[in-house]
Amino acid sequence: MLRQLRRAAAGLVSVLALGFAGSALAEPALWAIKDHDSTIYLFGTIHVLRPDTQWRSAKIDKALTTSGDLTLEIIGADDPAVMQPLVLKYGLDPSNPLSAKITPEAFQHASALAQAGGVPPQALNMMRPWLAAVSLSMLPVIKAGYDPKSGVEQVLAKEVKAAGKPESAFETPEQQIRFFADLPAKTEADFLSVTLDDVDEGVGKIDKMVAAWAAGDIAELEAEFISEMKGDYPELYDLLIVKRNEDWARQLKTKLAGAGVSFVAVGSGHLVGPDSVQAQLAKLGIKAERVE
């Protein structure tokens, strides 16, 4: 589902998702992989949350406190000095306006959303479809009062930095942004079209998705993040989910060969479904178990 595509994009331009407090007994899911001298916790995240969202638990806090380092999808997503040059290089195409790449109806829809969010039409028309999709999908979330600075990665990174612990990343900002910039032209246009359809579904649909995350409802997370994308956009699914999960599993195997306790936080869509990071680890002979 292309909503998952936007979750991956959140790591680079802070994309959508909002917070929703679960019940007192509910909490986001946490997994662990282990060998004789190593433990690596795997935690699925939501990239943008309401500031007052309650998602912490004793289990999550203990795992983070006992970990000696933090691994994220990327580092630097919130740094304009890192991201702006990449967006300028890979996200803008002033010589080939957006209005010439998508249908007139889609461009009219995109323009209306952009104007409502304070984005000038001329700025929108310079964007490549993938960047327009990422940017437009964020507008209703911000308008509804959600803050990228309250996203899980931001919170975890701040705590780890304050504790003097090291951070690392599976991908560089340029690698992640190029997953979108290197999409085939038709796929990129489809990404924007489906994003426009999803925006019309409203914030309520996102509430449902994040409620599943906050409650640790793995089946619902798979339905919301994975099922439609896998069925309707198999090439995108393979590129943005399967290939990346395979790569991350290989990196985790190498990390597990070391020693100590580590905490890994990546978008929740990568930790659910038949091709999840855990499934890729299983192919490498490594069993991931949910922490209860």
Side-chain angles (χ1 to χ4, degrees), residues 49-70:
L49 292 171
R50 277 193 175 111
D52 60 352
T53 299
Q54 301 300 311
W55 57 270
R56 301 296 290 259
S57 70
K59 180 170 63 184
I60 294 168
D61 288 345
K62 180 180 178 181
L64 184 64
T65 300
T66 58
S67 295
D69 63 277
L70 172 67

Side-chain angles (χ1 to χ4, degrees), residues 149-200:
K149 294 181 180 179
S150 297
V152 174
E153 289 90 345
Q154 293 264 30
V155 173
L156 296 178
K158 184 177 180 180
E159 291 184 16
V160 166
K161 184 177 181 180
K165 298 178 182 180
E167 290 180 83
S168 60
F170 287 125
E171 300 166 349
T172 67
E174 183 165 9
Q175 278 180 302
Q176 193 168 93
I177 211 168
R178 287 195 65 176
F179 283 122
F180 303 90
D182 292 347
L183 290 171
K186 183 182 183 304
T187 304
E188 189 182 0
D190 287 345
F191 176 24
L192 176 55
S193 296
V194 176
T195 297
L196 294 173
D197 291 341
D198 280 0
V199 167
D200 285 344

Side-chain angles (χ1 to χ4, degrees), residues 1-7 15-18 106 109-110 113 132-134 136-141 189-209 223-226 228-229 232-233 236:
M1 180 163 56
L2 290 179
R3 282 189 295 274
Q4 166 58 21
L5 190 61
R6 293 201 299 279
R7 289 217 172 36
V15 162
L16 65 85
L18 51 104
H109 188 180
L113 290 170
V134 168
L136 294 175
S137 67
M138 190 64 178
L139 294 177
V141 177
D190 287 345
F191 176 24
L192 176 55
S193 296
V194 176
T195 297
L196 294 173
D197 291 341
D198 280 0
V199 167
D200 285 344
E201 293 178 5
V203 172
K205 184 140 184 110
I206 307 169
D207 276 328
K208 179 182 177 183
M209 176 191 64
E224 292 293 329
F225 279 98
I226 296 297
E228 186 177 332
M229 184 183 184
D232 295 346
Y233 302 93
L236 272 177

Side-chain angles (χ1 to χ4, degrees), residues 9-250:
L12 54 100
V13 201
S14 285
V15 162
L16 65 85
L18 51 104
F20 189 95
S23 69
L25 297 177
E27 58 186 287
L30 180 70
W31 291 266
I33 58 174
K34 300 180 180 182
D35 64 11
H36 67 284
D37 61 355
S38 304
T39 296
I40 301 176
Y41 292 103
L42 305 176
F43 184 52
T45 68
I46 295 293
H47 300 301
V48 183
L49 292 171
R50 277 193 175 111
D52 60 352
T53 299
Q54 301 300 311
W55 57 270
R56 301 296 290 259
S57 70
K59 180 170 63 184
I60 294 168
D61 288 345
K62 180 180 178 181
L64 184 64
T65 300
T66 58
S67 295
D69 63 277
L70 172 67
T71 300
L72 302 172
E73 291 184 31
I74 63 170
I75 296 174
D78 59 342
D79 185 350
V82 173
M83 299 308 300
Q84 285 181 359
L86 295 174
V87 171
L88 289 172
K89 180 177 180 180
Y90 294 110
L92 300 182
D93 187 10
S95 299
N96 300 284
L98 181 65
S99 56
K101 297 177 180 176
I102 58 178
T103 67
E105 294 78 14
F107 185 72
Q108 183 178 9
H109 188 180
S111 298
L113 290 170
Q115 288 182 321
V119 177
Q122 56 269 38
L124 175 70
N125 210 21
M126 292 174 62
M127 295 181 185
R128 288 184 51 181
W130 77 262
L131 180 59
V134 168
S135 302
L136 294 175
S137 67
M138 190 64 178
L139 294 177
V141 177
I142 296 297
K143 187 176 181 180
Y146 303 100
D147 186 358
K149 294 181 180 179
S150 297
V152 174
E153 289 90 345
Q154 293 264 30
V155 173
L156 296 178
K158 184 177 180 180
E159 291 184 16
V160 166
K161 184 177 181 180
K165 298 178 182 180
E167 290 180 83
S168 60
F170 287 125
E171 300 166 349
T172 67
E174 183 165 9
Q175 278 180 302
Q176 193 168 93
I177 211 168
R178 287 195 65 176
F179 283 122
F180 303 90
D182 292 347
L183 290 171
K186 183 182 183 304
T187 304
E188 189 182 0
D190 287 345
F191 176 24
L192 176 55
S193 296
V194 176
T195 297
L196 294 173
D197 291 341
D198 280 0
V199 167
D200 285 344
E201 293 178 5
V203 172
K205 184 140 184 110
I206 307 169
D207 276 328
K208 179 182 177 183
M209 176 191 64
V210 183
W213 169 77
D217 187 339
I218 303 306
E220 184 63 24
L221 282 173
E222 180 177 348
E224 292 293 329
F225 279 98
I226 296 297
S227 298
E228 186 177 332
M229 184 183 184
K230 182 180 180 182
D232 295 346
Y233 302 93
E235 293 88 357
L236 272 177
Y237 177 75
D238 184 65
L239 174 67
L240 295 171
I241 301 298
V242 180
K243 291 292 193 296
R244 296 170 75 201
N245 288 354
E246 290 173 343
D247 178 49
W248 297 356
R250 289 190 292 267

